[in-house]
Amino acid sequence: MAKLSAKKNLSSTQVLKTLLVLLQGNYTMQELISKLNAGESEPVFNNSVVSKYINTCRYVGIDIPKIHNRYFVTSIPFGFELTGNDIGILEIMQNIIREEMGSKCNKIFDRFLEKINRYSNKKIARVEKETYHMTAELFELGVSEKRKVRLMYKNKVIQDCIPIGVVENKDKTYFHVIYKNKEKMIDASRVSGIQVLGEKYIQNFSDQVVIFELKAPLAQRYNLRENERLMKNFDGHSITVSNHGESKEILFSRLLRYDDKCEIINPKSYREEMKQIISSALSNYGEV
């Protein structure tokens, strides 16, 4: 009985050692094994053992997704909650240190933030088809709290973006973001992981209003979208519609299908861009 108890205690200790290393960084399996064996007189950790210990942590409520072959501790039952006010105070402190102090103080504060992040309600999730609704909620959290999101793509590229919203189009889910001052529609199937960052952003963009004209017979059967208003009723020839806040990529894709029955009136930049798209398409077919 004493031997059995000792064996159980050893396993418990090894589980805690594994968790301790996981809390220090986001590591691959081989990196975890190397770090864990570094403190042993002889190698006792291997792929099978570490996988078992990670699953034990998951069993007691610790979220440890695997993204880009690295393990992330994303939620722990004994982690502390960071409120919006807490994040705001940390942001003010960070700005002061960035502006008033040297690189050494900045590095110390960055390490401090990293430790807080690992033990707090960090928001990160693996994007999978079965959990799109959960990751969409996480993305919307970034929108509502005006915090940047980190998208981790299946090709290992990582982008920190300003989130605008989740868009459903043609039975596909897209993350509508601003990356490097450009709007992008990111197919959710390309994303392997998403994280809500502590960094806030200033919303310096507004919902674009696009006005376009539809000609008969399309004008007579056109159904207004939820974000559209009729500016001019059908007069026997056409209608005029205002579209509020729809992604430019999706709007252009739809309006192009209407061919010569559709004409963008405002803004002029959209009008010119549409003309350029049509001109380029025609030139590819030798019609210009």
Side-chain angles (χ1 to χ4, degrees), residues 1-17:
M1 181 65 72
K3 287 184 179 180
L4 180 61
S5 177
K7 184 178 179 181
K8 283 185 176 180
N9 288 337
L10 177 62
S11 295
S12 300
T13 301
Q14 302 294 52
V15 169
L16 292 175
K17 282 183 181 178

Side-chain angles (χ1 to χ4, degrees), residues 5-231:
S5 177
K7 184 178 179 181
K8 283 185 176 180
N9 288 337
L10 177 62
S11 295
S12 300
T13 301
Q14 302 294 52
V15 169
L16 292 175
K17 282 183 181 178
T18 303
L19 177 60
L20 181 61
V21 172
L22 285 166
L23 286 169
Q24 293 169 358
N26 307 320
Y27 301 115
T28 65
M29 177 58 75
Q30 290 308 310
E31 287 171 342
L32 282 170
I33 293 170
S34 176
K35 286 181 174 293
L36 287 163
N37 280 327
E40 302 291 334
S41 56
E42 59 182 40
V44 294
F45 291 90
N46 55 43
N47 196 309
S48 175
V49 169
V50 175
S51 294
K52 182 175 70 174
Y53 293 159
I54 289 174
N55 285 330
T56 300
C57 292
R58 288 169 173 163
Y59 180 77
V60 298
I62 301 171
D63 291 335
I64 311 176
K66 182 182 178 184
I67 304 172
H68 289 179
N69 292 320
R70 293 182 178 275
Y71 293 89
F72 293 73
V73 175
T74 65
S75 176
I76 47 181
F78 45 86
F80 56 85
E81 292 289 318
L82 279 180
T83 66
N85 286 337
D86 294 332
I87 293 172
I89 291 170
L90 289 171
E91 186 180 13
I92 292 170
M93 291 171 63
Q94 186 179 46
N95 290 336
I96 292 172
I97 291 171
R98 290 279 187 270
E99 294 173 5
E100 305 293 337
M101 299 186 180
S103 59
K104 183 177 180 180
C105 289
N106 273 274
K107 288 179 182 178
I108 292 172
F109 190 75
D110 286 344
R111 287 197 295 268
F112 167 68
L113 286 180
E114 181 64 22
K115 286 181 180 179
I116 286 180
N117 193 40
R118 291 194 179 280
Y119 288 94
S120 69
N121 51 335
K122 181 168 56 173
K123 303 294 194 308
I124 181 172
R126 184 176 179 85
V127 179
E128 296 175 317
K129 220 168 188 179
E130 299 78 14
T131 59
Y132 275 167
H133 66 287
M134 293 172 59
T135 50
E137 288 176 5
L138 191 56
F139 188 91
E140 294 289 3
L141 176 68
V143 176
S144 64
E145 294 186 356
K146 291 185 171 55
R147 291 162 63 188
K148 288 186 177 181
V149 297
R150 176 167 293 160
L151 299 181
M152 299 171 234
Y153 295 90
K154 291 179 179 177
N155 63 1
K156 306 299 176 69
V157 171
I158 296 176
Q159 294 180 340
D160 292 352
C161 312
I162 291 175
I164 299 176
V166 178
V167 178
E168 301 289 339
N169 186 49
K170 294 182 180 178
D171 298 323
K172 283 189 175 183
T173 301
Y174 295 87
F175 296 125
H176 186 191
V177 303
I178 291 179
Y179 177 67
K180 291 186 175 179
N181 296 320
K182 291 185 178 180
E183 282 192 49
K184 290 181 175 292
M185 298 296 297
I186 310 299
D187 189 336
S189 64
R190 292 177 51 208
V191 180
S192 59
I194 180 173
Q195 179 179 4
V196 178
L197 302 176
E199 183 183 356
K200 290 196 172 186
Y201 63 87
I202 298 173
Q203 187 168 334
N204 55 7
F205 55 89
S206 58
D207 287 343
Q208 179 67 65
V209 178
V210 180
I211 299 172
F212 56 89
E213 183 181 62
L214 298 176
K215 300 173 184 177
L218 174 62
Q220 294 169 280
R221 64 174 187 271
Y222 184 76
N223 293 317
L224 291 173
R225 271 55 175 180
E226 185 179 346
N227 61 322
E228 292 180 338
R229 300 290 182 272
L230 196 61
M231 296 185 68

